Amino acid sequence: MAMLAVAWLLAMAAHAAEPIRISTQKMDLIMQVNGQGRLVQSYLGKRLLHDSDLGWLKEGREVYLTHGMEDYFEPAVDIEHADGNPSTLLRYVSHEVKPVQGGKETVITLADDQYPTTVRLHYVAYEAENVIKTWTEITNGEKKSVKLAKYASATLHLDREAYYLTAFSGDWADEAHMNTEPLQPGKRVIDTKLGTRANMFTPPMFILSLDQQAGETNGECIFGQLGWTGNFRFTFEVDNKGGLRVIAGINPYFSTRTMKAGETFVTPEFFFTYSQEGMAKATHHFHDWARNHQLKDGTGTRLTLLNNWEATYFSFNEDMLVGLMDDAVRLGVDMFLLDDGWFGNKYPRQSDTQGLGDWEETHSKLPGGVGRLCEEARKKGVKFGIWIEPEMVNPKSELYEKHKDWVIHLPGREEYYYRNQMVLDLCNPEVQEFVFEVVDRLMTSYPEIAFFKWDCNSPITNIYSPYLKDRQQHLYVDYVKGLYSVLDRIKAKYPRLPMMLCSGGSGRIDYKALEYFTEFWASDNTDPVERLFIQYGYSFFYPAKATCAHVTTWNKQASIKFKTDVASMGKLGFDIKLSDMTEQEIQYAHEAVANYHRLHPVIGDGDMYRLISPYEQQHAATQFVSKDRRHSVLFAFDIHPRFGDKLRYVKFRGLDPALQYRVNEINLMPGQSTWVKDRTYSGDFLMTVGLDILSAGSMKSRVVEVVAQ
Ligand code: DGJ
């Protein structure tokens, strides 16, 4: 032990003087080793210009705080060693820097000099996109098991005048509300313990404004996101000196892990960006990084679709579905998506009370099976997609009757249900195989399936894993690992298969999940007015191409134009029968779909600017600009303006002031007179003076296309 300690001290002495600098083009995270050999964070913020200044940085607080030592605030890691000692003291051992895809990775190794516990801090800096991805590996080098009670992915330290936290909260059909509050001394915790539908009340993302509340174009802010499709926890603790410690990781609630001798625990990844120029820039960082490095098929196009869910719910037959495929053709969308209700024979899935888990086509409803539907879709020239919810089971199902041992349920207690269903035990490799086969069997039998909508309607209930036996505290984490191992296999076998992540709306959404999914269902609430808020909230982190938005019959007062214009700011789809629409509306929608396809490089791959927040006005406006700044589209909405509402001109952003742009209103109802046609303005004028786009009408919308000459 003493020899090891000497080696560590020598290594530490060799590197103590050099700061460890993790930089992107616009941000710096700087650490150093202090006189006691401990790793401290000296700086986080705007990238510093001169290397020669780095020596002047003060030491700062310990990067990865441990339980049991001198710091009196929340630790990142808490280990009970095999001999019962609950403390860990980490000293710097070494660090290395290597190029990785898209960036540069720095790995810093820390170790306890009394116990063979090693902690490796990983930081990948995506230089061009200004995002840092960080995670931690904790290794138990002891000969016996230890108990790991806390295991954060990362801690960030800040020392500012004030901190403003914007968090996101919600519920079913009410997602992504933004709430901003100044952080006061003490702790503010955002966490969830719902397990599967983990983000039903809050997603794992936050915005932190530094010194003062940041705006879209001004102020300093940090955006953070945890890549973990399960229970998470963010702790924001303002200490006695006014310093802020942000700890991000898995929620340690009921999750103390027993680590065997030699075992390494790898935490989820935490992603963050910093902007000195307000929130729009931070959004661009996240969107660019996601498209280039994280989101499945991030740079690809997306399939527009017609979904039968709101058109039929569970009441459909083969002919009705084939009829809806004709609707898809008339709209000009790429795909028909068959939703819930197509499976189960002993217990046909005629409502959400039965059949879940029995993944065989209902013969009475679909005598020709999925094969006939694929064939009809092919004949009509549309793709075919299908809904599954493979992690769940109804107690009224053959699966439950056969395999109660696969169901998460408490021994000796009456069962309780969320949406009449229960969660399968993905900790169990046999269940992982079953879930993989739900997809694999469908794909093998019907290779024409072009898309999956993967739903997850229940949180983990009746919390006990029959598989884990005496390791129940591993359930929440091992479940998510089981899910990832299934998704890894699906991605390896079907790398190009687009999939939508759904969870009764967006009850499960994070950037690790989006490694496997091309998009997510933002909400079951498709009232376009509500969607203006929900899509606004998610837009801070997720690009439009990942955020599914459908036109439905919700909100009977709103026009099809208003609904389609709102949905065109996301990944456009329809959940409606054309028989619910007039001829004029169908004609309008057809043209709007064609415009959406044409504008994909702008909406899907361009920069998004939130021009008017629906939180601040009875109007909303969002603009998308292509990366070369030559093409832009602006969506403007009047919600319920009051009498005397002051209508200001809407100023564009992100254009080239020196260029001349041709401006046209698009997405017009047949016969609707246009307010701007083929006019030419300079980028300078559009951004400085703006255009008179808003109106005093209720639920009105205008879409303006701007093309450089
Ligand atoms: C919840 C989803 O959010 C809906 O879109 C739909 O797929 C239903 N589940 C089906 O049960």
Side-chain angles (χ1 to χ4, degrees):
M1 207 79 101
M3 292 264 293
L4 276 177
V6 172
W8 278 315
L9 285 172
L10 286 175
M12 179 269 295
H15 291 270
E18 294 163 30
I20 302 170
R21 184 175 192 182
I22 294 154
S23 311
T24 67
Q25 278 172 9
K26 297 199 170 151
M27 116 171 106
D28 259 329
L29 170 64
I30 302 176
M31 299 173 234
Q32 53 182 301
V33 180
N34 72 10
Q36 291 75 49
R38 316 275 280 271
L39 184 74
V40 293
Q41 184 198 301
S42 303
Y43 180 80
L44 170 59
K46 169 197 163 297
R47 185 171 176 153
L48 300 176
L49 294 179
H50 306 287
D51 287 354
S52 53
D53 290 333
L54 301 191
W56 298 113
L57 289 169
K58 65 175 186 170
E59 272 192 8
R61 291 183 290 277
E62 191 160 6
V63 171
Y64 200 66
L65 282 161
T66 57
H67 169 75
M69 301 316 299
E70 319 87 323
D71 192 280
Y72 298 117
F73 295 87
E74 183 71 21
V77 66
D78 179 352
I79 302 169
E80 186 182 306
H81 298 280
D83 64 3
N85 187 333
S87 67
T88 299
L89 191 158
L90 295 173
R91 291 191 206 277
Y92 169 89
V93 176
S94 65
H95 74 278
E96 54 169 332
V97 183
K98 55 187 180 198
V100 291
Q101 194 265 323
K104 218 191 258 170
E105 179 173 2
T106 304
V107 187
I108 307 170
T109 303
L110 312 172
D112 193 316
D113 56 5
Q114 299 298 317
Y115 290 89
T117 302
T118 312
V119 168
R120 278 194 186 83
L121 306 175
H122 294 254
Y123 300 87
V124 174
Y126 295 91
E127 279 183 84
E129 293 88 1
N130 292 297
V131 167
I132 294 178
K133 166 170 97 178
T134 170
W135 73 99
T136 297
E137 285 178 334
I138 303 160
T139 302
N140 170 25
E142 297 188 38
K143 295 211 165 53
K144 290 194 184 147
S145 296
V146 302
K147 286 215 159 48
L148 186 60
K150 283 184 181 150
Y151 34 92
S153 295
T155 302
L156 300 179
H157 294 279
L158 292 144
D159 280 292
R160 294 305 188 103
E161 279 301 308
Y163 315 94
Y164 295 85
L165 174 68
T166 302
F168 297 79
S169 63
D171 200 343
W172 173 77
D174 194 21
E175 293 92 338
H177 281 273
M178 301 178 71
N179 325 288
T180 299
E181 65 200 287
L183 289 173
Q184 304 293 350
K187 272 186 204 166
R188 165 80 161 95
V189 172
I190 303 174
D191 70 359
T192 162
K193 59 182 187 60
L194 297 175
T196 34
R197 194 170 166 171
N199 313 139
M200 182 157 52
F201 307 139
T202 185
M205 60 200 204
F206 66 84
I207 297 172
L208 195 60
S209 296
L210 305 174
D211 292 337
Q212 51 197 302
Q213 172 66 52
E216 278 297 317
T217 53
N218 67 292
E220 286 180 85
C221 55
I222 288 175
F223 282 24
Q225 245 265 5
L226 189 77
W228 183 245
T229 316
N231 298 348
F232 73 88
R233 188 171 80 175
F234 295 135
T235 306
F236 302 88
E237 187 168 27
V238 178
D239 66 20
N240 54 326
K241 305 272 187 242
L244 174 66
R245 298 129 184 264
V246 182
I247 308 182
I250 290 176
N251 188 352
Y253 170 83
F254 192 68
S255 292
T256 294
R257 299 189 66 80
T258 303
M259 282 177 87
K260 296 206 193 89
E263 193 179 322
T264 295
F265 183 79
V266 183
T267 72
E269 292 158 347
F270 172 63
F271 316 106
F272 67 97
T273 187
Y274 160 86
S275 161
Q276 200 194 5
E277 302 155 74
M279 298 199 190
K281 267 277 177 304
T283 287
H284 297 166
H285 296 166
F286 251 99
H287 289 190
D288 288 346
W289 164 79
R291 284 184 292 240
N292 293 339
H293 306 294
Q294 191 67 19
L295 176 64
K296 184 174 182 187
D297 195 17
T299 53
T301 53
R302 294 293 183 270
L303 299 169
T304 53
L305 59 85
L306 174 74
N307 186 191
N308 73 308
W309 176 242
E310 298 222 1
T312 64
Y313 293 102
F314 294 98
S315 309
F316 57 82
N317 59 32
E318 220 165 68
D319 289 344
M320 284 164 82
L321 298 183
V322 173
L324 284 170
M325 288 179 195
D326 288 325
D327 287 1
V329 174
R330 279 201 74 194
L331 284 170
V333 294
D334 300 311
M335 180 171 62
F336 170 73
L337 170 63
L338 170 59
D339 213 283
D340 195 355
W342 58 268
F343 49 87
N345 282 299
K346 181 171 177 190
Y347 302 107
R349 178 82 169 163
Q350 65 221 6
S351 72
D352 62 19
T353 57
Q354 62 180 49
L356 197 57
D358 301 342
W359 298 105
E360 193 184 52
E361 297 97 312
T362 307
H363 305 314
S364 54
K365 228 176 187 177
L366 301 175
V370 169
R372 156 103 207 276
L373 297 173
C374 287
E375 195 184 309
E376 287 298 329
R378 176 169 18 96
K379 280 198 237 152
K380 293 177 194 302
V382 284
K383 292 185 191 295
F384 177 81
I386 197 163
W387 178 98
I388 52 171
E389 191 178 6
E391 300 159 74
M392 306 274 161
V393 63
N394 280 132
K396 212 167 161 194
S397 68
E398 290 185 80
L399 178 66
Y400 181 92
E401 286 171 354
K402 235 185 286 165
H403 269 302
K404 183 71 190 281
D405 56 322
W406 285 4
V407 181
I408 294 181
H409 71 282
L410 282 158
R413 283 199 189 275
E414 208 177 309
E415 288 167 3
Y416 62 97
Y417 307 125
Y418 190 98
R419 208 196 190 209
N420 310 304
Q421 64 195 59
M422 300 178 84
V423 182
L424 294 177
D425 187 3
L426 265 173
C427 306
N428 182 344
E430 279 182 41
V431 177
Q432 293 168 19
E433 183 63 30
F434 170 83
V435 174
F436 171 74
E437 276 176 12
V438 173
V439 174
D440 195 41
R441 193 186 53 79
L442 279 164
M443 286 303 289
T444 316
S445 314
Y446 311 112
E448 284 175 82
I449 293 178
F451 184 89
F452 278 86
K453 174 177 176 183
W454 181 305
D455 210 342
C456 162
N457 284 291
S458 175
I460 297 184
T461 55
N462 306 275
I463 304 157
Y464 181 93
S465 154
Y467 176 77
L468 288 174
K469 302 202 171 68
D470 62 349
R471 285 175 297 135
Q472 291 304 316
Q473 295 241 358
H474 287 216
L475 194 167
Y476 283 126
V477 172
D478 286 5
Y479 185 96
V480 181
K481 291 184 166 192
L483 173 68
Y484 290 155
S485 84
V486 172
L487 293 170
D488 277 331
R489 285 177 69 191
I490 294 172
K491 193 172 173 186
K493 190 155 177 193
Y494 306 105
R496 306 213 60 76
L497 182 64
M499 301 211 291
M500 179 204 290
L501 178 62
C502 177
S503 186
S506 53
R508 183 191 232 187
I509 171 64
D510 69 273
Y511 263 122
K512 173 69 184 176
L514 288 182
E515 221 175 279
Y516 304 105
F517 292 89
T518 44
E519 55 218 72
F520 70 97
W521 179 228
S523 181
D524 276 353
N525 190 337
T526 46
D527 175 333
V529 171
E530 296 301 319
R531 274 295 186 130
L532 283 176
F533 289 85
I534 294 168
Q535 292 172 202
Y536 181 84
Y538 282 127
S539 77
F540 285 82
F541 286 85
Y542 299 110
K545 62 162 57 167
T547 312
C548 297
H550 294 182
V551 178
T552 72
T553 53
W554 281 56
N555 190 342
K556 300 267 188 294
Q557 280 75 47
S559 67
I560 286 288
K561 171 171 163 57
F562 189 81
K563 292 176 181 186
T564 311
D565 291 347
V566 172
S568 295
M569 296 191 299
K571 202 219 83 168
L572 178 62
F574 293 79
D575 242 281
I576 194 168
K577 298 190 282 291
L578 291 200
S579 55
D580 287 329
M581 291 163 67
T582 65
E583 270 310 309
Q584 275 204 328
E585 287 171 337
I586 295 171
Q587 227 180 302
Y588 159 82
H590 181 85
E591 196 183 315
V593 169
N595 283 336
Y596 183 81
H597 287 152
R598 184 172 60 77
L599 292 168
H600 187 270
V602 185
I603 299 172
D605 294 325
D607 289 333
M608 172 193 274
Y609 292 87
R610 290 170 293 264
L611 305 182
I612 301 176
S613 160
Y615 282 90
E616 285 165 15
Q617 294 189 25
Q618 281 297 334
H619 305 276
T622 299
Q623 185 199 353
F624 298 86
V625 184
S626 63
K627 287 288 177 188
D628 63 6
R629 305 207 286 169
R630 299 186 63 81
H631 199 173
S632 176
V633 56
L634 189 154
F635 294 87
F637 302 91
D638 311 302
I639 306 172
H640 298 300
R642 293 182 57 195
F643 178 79
D645 191 48
K646 309 277 178 303
L647 298 177
R648 307 261 178 246
Y649 277 31
V650 179
K651 292 180 194 167
F652 288 68
R653 288 190 203 139
L655 302 176
D656 183 338
L659 286 178
Q660 295 292 322
Y661 292 90
R662 178 65 50 92
V663 178
N664 272 298
E665 183 175 6
I666 59 167
N667 285 13
L668 289 159
M669 283 296 284
Q672 185 188 338
S673 61
T674 171
W675 136 99
V676 56
K677 190 169 174 9
D678 271 344
R679 286 205 217 137
T680 303
Y681 299 88
S682 72
D684 177 50
F685 184 89
L686 291 170
M687 293 193 291
T688 312
V689 180
L691 295 180
D692 188 12
I693 300 175
L694 303 178
S695 87
S698 198
M699 289 189 286
K700 297 283 180 232
S701 55
R702 278 177 175 159
V703 183
V704 178
E705 186 178 357
V706 171
V707 186
Q709 297 305 286

